[in-house]
Amino acid sequence: MSLWYNFAMQIRIAIVSVICLMISTLASAQPTSQPGVGRFPHIEIDIPQKQVRVECEALHCEAPLEFLCVTAGGSEHESVIRTRAKPSQIHAALLMLGMEPGEPLKFIPGTKKWLAPHGPPVDISFEFDKAGKHYSVPATRLMRDIKTKKPMPSMSWVFVGSRVMGEGKYAADIEGYVVSIVNFELTLIDVPALVSSANETLEWEADLDLLPPLGSPMTMILQPLGADHSPARPAEPATAPSDQLSNVTANQELIERLRQRWDQEVRPHAQEVRKAAQAQYEVISSLRREQQRLVDESDRIQRLIDELEHEYQQITTPAPEKTE
């Protein structure tokens, strides 16, 4: 194995060791009377049932979605729910169930390709009350297609584990990324496929008809799928076959130069661009609502004009002469 791979593995072992130490410290500091049940703030770990239950709150996002769950104060304008739980402690809770994180989205320089997030599969469901009725639904039921309004098909997520940044800070704690529905390198739980976060490719919205009112309490239930909770490592992306059907090849030098320019000039402004996109969406939506209000008001005035003109016509039209 390469020196870089060995170094990366040592880093991951150190991360797991730190989180395990955090588990033993925090879990012992918050005893519970239920056997096999541990707690972190806003998190309950039910080891016999193989469940991590996370306290959340409903959001009413009207923009295209990038997340299922974010931390409170994070990218709430792109998410279905928010939580006050720390992603690093959700990570620790999943470790307590015997799960081992996989790897987030990764770029492979040798093949110039992205490797999809991978890790042990996680089932996500929700429990909440609305209008006196108790609901227990899969996470996908809370999202629907923007165009067709059909529910998101059933799926599972993968536990990728985010990253540890400088000074030992857990990236998902900083960014607030808990569960993504498009790829982010610093998320805790991601989708097991390459899914772009570009605004023009976003296809899901929150099902506001099903969600409880804004701020309502909800419980997110994370549960490992299958008996083997270790990450399944996908094969490295294949390189292009030698027996190509065409002699047309890409200008790799140009592509790499453009990629570097994008990394230097676009990526550092990702947060500002995202905020600008959200502002654009909100401004245009507000202008359209105002436009529609003015159209409705104009229609109301036109109906009054028609009514008055009709009444005036009746008043001024000479009455027919009476014949004897």
Side-chain angles (χ1 to χ4, degrees):
M1 296 184 182
S2 67
L3 291 175
W4 170 249
Y5 179 80
N6 289 335
F7 176 74
M9 289 302 297
Q10 291 173 6
I11 292 295
R12 292 181 64 79
I13 292 171
I15 292 170
V16 172
S17 300
V18 169
I19 294 177
C20 287
L21 178 60
M22 183 174 65
I23 291 173
S24 61
T25 301
L26 292 179
S28 61
Q30 301 185 52
T32 176
S33 58
Q34 292 180 266
V37 176
R39 298 184 189 279
F40 293 118
H42 310 291
I43 304 169
E44 180 181 278
I45 308 101
D46 189 334
I47 295 177
Q49 296 296 321
K50 291 289 185 181
Q51 289 184 349
V52 173
R53 303 174 67 86
V54 183
E55 296 174 7
C56 300
E57 295 176 342
L59 296 172
H60 273 205
C61 170
E62 296 183 358
L65 296 171
E66 295 187 358
F67 300 95
L68 172 64
C69 178
V70 298
T71 57
S75 301
E76 295 185 5
H77 60 285
E78 300 167 318
S79 182
V80 181
I81 61 165
R82 66 188 175 203
T83 181
R84 301 187 186 281
K86 294 183 66 174
S88 58
Q89 293 178 349
I90 299 175
H91 183 133
L94 293 172
L95 289 181
M96 292 176 70
L97 298 186
M99 301 185 75
E100 181 187 344
E103 289 185 312
L105 177 74
K106 183 172 64 175
F107 182 69
I108 309 298
T111 58
K112 309 295 183 183
K113 293 185 178 181
W114 287 93
L115 188 63
H118 68 275
V122 181
D123 178 70
I124 306 179
S125 59
F126 285 88
E127 292 181 356
F128 58 92
D129 293 321
K130 178 183 178 182
K133 182 178 179 181
H134 183 72
Y135 289 81
S136 180
V137 298
T140 52
R141 183 62 185 81
L142 300 179
M143 294 172 281
R144 63 190 180 188
D145 188 281
I146 292 175
K147 297 179 181 178
T148 67
K149 308 304 180 183
K150 293 182 178 179
M152 176 184 285
S154 298
M155 61 166 286
S156 61
W157 281 260
V158 286
F159 173 34
V160 297
S162 193
R163 301 186 189 279
V164 174
M165 309 296 282
E167 301 180 356
K169 294 182 178 179
Y170 192 70
D173 285 349
I174 300 171
E175 298 295 335
Y177 301 167
V178 182
V179 182
S180 303
I181 61 172
V182 295
N183 297 146
F184 286 98
E185 293 181 80
L186 304 181
T187 194
L188 171 65
I189 297 173
D190 207 340
V191 289
L194 291 175
V195 183
S196 173
S197 60
N199 287 337
E200 63 272 15
T201 65
L202 302 180
E203 54 182 331
W204 305 107
E205 66 179 8
D207 188 344
L208 301 184
D209 296 331
L210 177 59
L211 279 165
L214 177 66
S216 297
M218 303 177 69
T219 301
M220 179 171 63
I221 303 169
L222 308 176
Q223 196 160 13
L225 287 173
D228 182 10
H229 308 322
S230 60
R233 182 177 296 275
E236 292 290 320
T239 56
S242 58
D243 53 341
Q244 296 180 356
L245 298 179
S246 171
N247 60 358
V248 177
T249 58
N251 185 335
Q252 292 298 330
E253 182 179 350
L254 173 62
I255 291 173
E256 184 61 27
R257 189 164 63 249
L258 293 173
R259 172 70 194 190
Q260 290 176 358
R261 181 182 176 187
W262 192 94
D263 286 339
Q264 293 170 0
E265 299 183 14
V266 179
R267 187 180 296 278
H269 304 288
Q271 192 66 26
E272 291 84 352
V273 171
R274 187 173 291 112
K275 289 181 179 179
Q278 179 62 24
Q280 166 76 1
Y281 175 85
E282 292 174 354
V283 167
I284 297 300
S285 296
S286 297
L287 288 172
R288 284 174 176 164
R289 285 195 295 270
E290 178 64 12
Q291 181 186 47
Q292 187 60 49
R293 188 187 68 79
L294 293 174
V295 170
D296 293 341
E297 185 70 9
S298 175
D299 289 343
R300 187 184 68 80
I301 294 173
Q302 184 62 51
R303 286 194 298 271
L304 178 59
I305 291 173
D306 293 342
E307 179 183 337
L308 295 178
E309 286 186 339
H310 178 69
E311 186 174 344
Y312 180 78
Q313 185 178 16
Q314 288 182 327
I315 293 173
T316 58
T317 300
E321 295 182 359
K322 292 183 179 180
T323 59
E324 295 184 359

